[in-house]
Amino acid sequence: MATLDLFPAPSQPPSLHSPSRLPGAGIASTKALLDVLKDNHEKWHIFFNDMRFHNHVSHHVLAIWALGANKDLIQAAYKYDIPIQKPAIKPPGVINELNFNDHLGVEEYYIAYVDFFKAKIAEEGVSQVLETYVFARSANIIDGAPQNKQPLMLARLFDGAAHPMIHVGYGLEFGLPGMVVEGLAQAAVHEARDAPFYPASLFDSESVSALNGLASKLDTHLVLDGPKPKKEVHLFDIMARILKDDRFKDPPADMQEFFTETKKANSSAIVEYANQWTLNLEEPGDVHRKIEQLQWMNTLIYGVSGFNAPEKEFFADFFLMHLVTSSLFLPSIVAYLTPASQKLFLRGYLTISLAFWVSRRPRSFNLDNIAKFFSADLVMPKQPSLTFESPTWALVPGTATANQWFPIIQDAILHQDDHLCKIQRAFMHFAERYGTRESGLEDFAGTELAGANVIDGSLFIRAAGLTAKAMGRVISENDGLGWDR
């Protein structure tokens, strides 16, 4: 059997659309990173408590390493995260192809699933394992089996605010098979609580839509005088339609169970809207144009939803934050998938994104806030870590910070909270890709979303600055390190 190096030195990202890395990583910091990843893999469980909260050790150290953290910071981050971790659990038995479905959702089998995926990836490679054990119809639907016996691996990948997907995404972005193994094993022991968002029809409809897309493409070449092709449905169109839909008018009664209530009341409606998205991936670059829509949408949801909250300047929503951090990994994941699986993955991801958005309606979108958000003079917070006197030779006297991103990223690296470095890394990447976009361009302005004509590339620095300011608030141990819930 082939051996698998779980944690080699990180490789270059698999796609030009994946995030770039800031200089700073060197021999010592990379060794510290790999030491932490290996120690975490051997010692700790994937959940750190009985409520199935996720072990974020690897997410934390990889994010700050990519932002240029030195050895001492990487070691300090691990030391900070260790006290809450839960020791690894010896599994009751082994997992093989015959009993793979029998123990799905059972966290005591996590290490057994790790061993299974380790062997499979060593034998077949990452892409084939993803196709076979996540995206194949047989990995999700067993015809004739009761609901509680369905494998539903795609639903498990997106469960828990998409944490298994994020974990796999880190592995694919950084070329770390151990992270892919852990992420797939984490998906396997997640409950399939979001199954209503992934009906059996999804695994048939994407193959059918692929054929229809091909037929439509042929028609455009063969029919000289046929009807004009339908306008593509943009994600902003879908947002506008949801905002007008009375089914989503009333917020969940119990904000402790907001997602469960939304799922019970409106899962079919959310799937209906997700299926409206035009997702033909026949032309070169189509998949990344669709990813761009997702990244804009999720950042807009997080930023505008939190802006001008009644009780504070910015409501840094802990749950909507995960829409931003997870969207960072879309390019790295689709790079390993077939076109059919890319469609399944992106539509599934859209579904869970819409579900989280509508479930947070009390803190949610206000169309008037779009214009306010983009017209506001958002002063970036002053971070003491980069405060200094402007030198006499400065081109602009009195300018202490030459780039607004410098203090934001500096504090993201230094901050104890592991989510802050992840969301600021995402915002920085999106600003790199989309930050020069002007308002009023037709692809946004021509959608059904009122106010989309004012959206421009400042979205990402605005959201990053508001987040930095929110996370710099005076906090206590019980405040969740600044995030709002």
Side-chain angles (χ1 to χ4, degrees), residues 55-378:
N55 175 342
H56 286 85
V57 166
S58 53
H59 301 193
H60 194 174
V61 294
L62 278 165
I64 63 174
W65 179 86
L67 293 173
N70 60 32
K71 173 191 74 172
D72 293 338
L73 282 167
I74 290 169
Q75 292 172 339
Y78 187 35
K79 184 178 179 181
Y80 179 81
D81 291 338
I82 281 176
I84 64 170
Q85 301 309 320
K86 180 176 171 180
I89 301 170
K90 184 178 179 179
V94 299
I95 294 295
N96 53 45
E97 291 183 1
L98 295 177
N99 71 352
F100 181 90
N101 292 348
D102 296 346
H103 304 292
L104 292 172
V106 183
E107 69 168 289
E108 288 78 10
Y109 278 88
Y110 168 70
I111 295 297
Y113 281 106
V114 163
D115 292 338
F116 175 84
F117 283 116
K118 197 183 302 181
K120 284 295 177 184
I121 289 176
E123 180 184 348
E124 301 176 12
V126 167
S127 291
Q128 186 57 54
V129 168
L130 288 170
E131 294 295 331
T132 303
Y133 292 97
V134 178
F135 294 99
R137 191 180 192 280
S138 59
N140 294 278
I141 304 298
I142 299 175
D143 292 326
Q147 183 65 25
N148 64 352
K149 295 296 183 182
Q150 299 290 354
L152 299 167
M153 280 295 289
L154 187 62
R156 297 177 197 275
L157 186 76
F158 291 124
D159 194 62
H163 275 88
M165 172 211 142
I166 292 171
H167 210 100
V168 170
Y170 269 112
L172 299 179
E173 180 188 333
F174 290 92
L176 297 168
M179 291 290 293
V180 179
V181 164
E182 291 174 0
L184 291 174
Q186 181 184 151
V189 299
H190 257 270
E191 298 169 337
R193 295 174 297 183
D194 301 338
F197 296 124
Y198 307 99
S201 58
L202 175 67
F203 301 93
D204 301 320
S205 62
E206 290 303 347
S207 58
V208 171
S209 69
L211 291 174
N212 289 340
L214 179 60
S216 174
K217 188 178 177 184
L218 289 172
D219 284 346
T220 63
H221 291 288
L222 297 176
V223 181
L224 298 177
D225 237 355
K228 291 183 179 180
K230 291 182 180 178
K231 176 180 177 289
E232 288 197 352
V233 177
H234 193 282
L235 289 184
F236 289 176
D237 295 325
I238 292 174
M239 291 177 70
R241 295 169 190 178
I242 287 175
L243 288 167
K244 295 175 182 177
D245 192 329
D246 286 342
R247 288 176 291 184
F248 303 108
K249 182 173 66 174
D250 296 324
D254 183 356
M255 284 310 294
Q256 296 299 315
E257 295 292 333
F258 64 93
F259 194 74
T260 301
E261 286 200 19
T262 297
K263 184 166 49 184
K264 287 180 180 177
N266 287 312
S267 61
S268 60
I270 291 167
V271 170
E272 170 191 321
Y273 279 113
N275 286 339
Q276 292 179 17
W277 188 29
T278 304
L279 197 53
N280 296 327
L281 305 181
E282 283 75 31
E283 298 293 338
D286 277 355
V287 67
H288 294 294
R289 283 189 284 273
K290 299 305 178 181
I291 287 173
E292 180 177 346
Q293 286 187 30
L294 287 162
Q295 291 171 335
W296 277 95
M297 181 189 79
N298 283 358
T299 303
L300 196 69
I301 286 171
Y302 168 82
V304 172
S305 296
F307 187 60
N308 280 344
E311 65 272 37
K312 55 185 67 177
E313 179 184 1
F314 185 69
F315 191 92
D317 193 300
F318 178 79
F319 301 97
L320 297 184
M321 167 265 292
H322 286 86
L323 299 185
V324 179
T325 59
S326 58
S327 68
L328 181 66
F329 299 100
L330 299 177
S332 299
I333 294 174
V334 300
Y336 283 83
L337 303 181
T338 64
S341 294
Q342 288 176 344
K343 296 180 74 170
L344 263 178
F345 173 66
L346 293 179
R347 200 174 300 280
Y349 180 76
L350 170 61
T351 304
I352 207 69
S353 296
L354 294 177
F356 266 96
W357 175 41
V358 300
S359 72
R360 300 297 287 170
R361 282 306 296 272
R363 306 291 180 194
S364 201
F365 224 71
N366 181 331
L367 287 173
D368 293 336
N369 271 0
I370 297 180
K372 292 177 183 177
F373 182 89
F374 284 96
S375 63
D377 182 14
L378 299 179

Side-chain angles (χ1 to χ4, degrees), residues 60 76-77 80-81 411-421 471 475 481:
H60 194 174
Y80 179 81
D81 291 338
D411 276 16
I413 297 171
L414 292 173
H415 205 286
Q416 295 172 340
D417 184 80
D418 58 89
H419 290 95
L420 182 62
C421 54
M471 294 299 288
I475 53 180
L481 287 179

